[in-house]
Every structure is written in structure tokens, then in C-alpha cells.
Amino acid sequence: MTTRVGVVTFPGTLDDRDSLRAVRLAGAEPVSLWHRDKDLKQVDAVVLAGGFSYGDYLRAGAISRFSPVMETVIEQARAGMPVLGICNGFQILTESHLLPGAMLRNNHLHFICRDQRLRVENAETAWTADYEAGQEISVPLKNIDGRYVADERVLDELEAEGRVAFRYLDGNPNGSLRDIAGITNAEGNVVGLMPHPEHAVEPLIGTGRTDGLAFFTSVIKKLVTA
């Protein structure tokens, strides 16, 4: 049976087609999901793609959190469904309280777009199992509200529980506390990160590498063996 991975499109989403393509290249069936629909079309996992949902009005991801589809995504994520939030999707996950902390404007107050080196800190989540802990990868980064923040108690908890999934290497691009580029929930089924693995899945686009493809192959293997 083919694994079905849904990709949600909100008004202002930019990277949904890239995410759908990454899902297909990994070997799963990509399924488009519209933000106004509560029906997830029997998908096995969900990707919240990058972009500027609702123009980032009020606060990045703050309005999308109340879209009808998110009611079902939140419910299914809490029941164990794998959910990946990329860039704006990570912002939506924090606004939805599926992941702790918040995303603020980059400390230099500029949009940044570059290839970004990361270190994989947690290779045991549904979305990172095809990596190895300590592995270094390179994927594109593009954001203006990418500074991850949380209070010291939350940060210490994330560190102690191994829930920092990725850290920035070669300098911190946006001022994220403790160089955090991505985190996971305690169960390991919900992962959010600011860089864009869907732009590094084939050699002719993005970084010219395929370092991001393992996100999508990881979840397929997780679902097949579940």
C-alpha cells in the first residue's frame, strides 16, 4: 500500500509544489490539502509547507493556526500522525502549540536566503531516522522571521530531552537561541525547522545536493514499519 503524504496550502504558501515534488521523489503519493477543508483525505502524514501564509499579517503563522484544516492536523498530530513544518510551517506549529517556543524577526532585521549547513542532533524522529546523529547536511534557508526563542526552562527541557533536532553551523543566521534550527515534540512525530529540505532533493536544483531527501524517505519508512 502506497504511503500518502499531504501538503497543506494556505493563502500565501510558496513551497507547496516543491514539497509535493519531494514527497513523490521519496516514493510516496503526494496529496494536496486546502486550508479551508477539515478532511485530510486519508493521508498518513502531513507537511506544512513554507511561504508567507496570510502575508504574515498579525504574526507569522498566527492566522493559519485557525484555518479549518489545522483543527484536524492538531487532533491527528496529538494522536501520533507525523507532521513536518518547514519555515512558515514551523511558525504555524509553534502558534498551534504543537511545538514550544516562538519565531521572531531575524536579529539583523533582514530577509536571508542562502545555503545553510546544519548538524543533525536527533536522528530518532519520524522525519530524521534516515540521518545519523552528528551528520552535517546543507539545505537552503530563506526567512525573515526565523529567530527561534523560548524561555530558559523550555530551552533546558529541549536540551535535556534531546528534542533539538537541528543546529546551525558556520554562524547563526538569524539569532536563534542556542543555534536551534529545528525541534521535535516529545513523541518524535512532530518536527519543525526553518531551513528548506524540500529544496535539496535532486542535484539540478537548490543546493545541487540531495541532503533534504532523507526527511521524506524517513517518514515513509516510519509509516511502513509502524
Side-chain angles (χ1 to χ4, degrees):
M1 184 175 178
T2 303
T3 300
R4 291 164 54 85
V5 179
V7 177
V8 179
T9 299
F10 300 91
T13 297
L14 301 178
D15 301 304
D16 45 349
R17 292 186 179 183
D18 302 82
S19 295
L20 289 164
R21 181 177 179 81
V23 168
R24 181 175 62 77
L25 289 171
E29 178 184 349
V31 179
S32 296
L33 302 175
W34 183 236
H35 75 113
R36 291 181 62 87
D37 298 330
K38 291 185 178 182
D39 181 12
L40 297 186
K41 300 181 181 179
Q42 297 181 311
V43 299
D44 304 296
V46 168
V47 176
L48 303 178
F52 300 91
S53 61
Y54 290 94
D56 280 350
Y57 292 124
L58 181 62
R59 193 171 57 248
I63 300 176
S64 294
R65 178 261 179 273
F66 294 101
S67 289
V69 72
M70 287 306 299
E71 180 179 331
T72 312
V73 169
I74 292 169
E75 175 185 306
Q76 292 301 308
R78 289 175 175 163
M81 174 182 280
V83 177
L84 174 66
I86 303 170
C87 196
N88 190 230
F90 186 13
Q91 295 159 347
I92 295 169
L93 289 177
T94 61
E95 292 287 341
S96 302
H97 304 296
L98 287 173
L99 291 176
M103 311 303 301
L104 299 181
R105 186 62 52 97
N106 295 344
N107 61 346
H108 45 72
L109 304 181
H110 294 289
F111 181 84
I112 187 169
C113 182
R114 74 183 198 189
D115 293 345
Q116 178 65 52
R117 289 182 65 238
L118 305 173
R119 183 171 61 244
V120 180
E121 301 283 24
N122 184 332
E124 298 180 1
T125 78
W127 298 94
T128 61
D130 268 359
Y131 294 109
E132 295 181 2
Q135 183 176 347
E136 297 181 6
I137 63 175
S138 178
V139 298
L141 174 73
K142 50 175 186 174
N143 62 71
I144 193 168
D145 295 298
R147 178 160 55 108
Y148 180 75
V149 298
D151 63 38
E152 288 297 311
R153 179 189 60 81
V154 170
L155 292 170
D156 288 343
E157 184 177 89
L158 291 173
E159 300 278 12
E161 296 179 2
R163 290 170 54 195
V164 175
F166 299 91
R167 288 190 211 272
Y168 295 114
L169 297 176
D170 297 337
N172 189 318
N174 46 36
S176 291
L177 298 180
R178 304 194 188 182
D179 298 329
I180 291 174
I183 61 174
T184 178
N185 66 344
E187 294 74 23
N189 64 302
V190 178
V191 171
L193 78 162
M194 288 308 298
H196 288 261
E198 80 281 14
H199 294 324
V201 295
E202 52 189 336
L204 292 180
I205 61 171
T207 60
R209 299 162 56 132
T210 59
D211 291 6
L213 190 60
F215 277 83
F216 306 95
T217 57
S218 291
V219 77
I220 294 171
K221 291 181 181 178
K222 170 68 175 179
L223 291 166
V224 168
T225 59

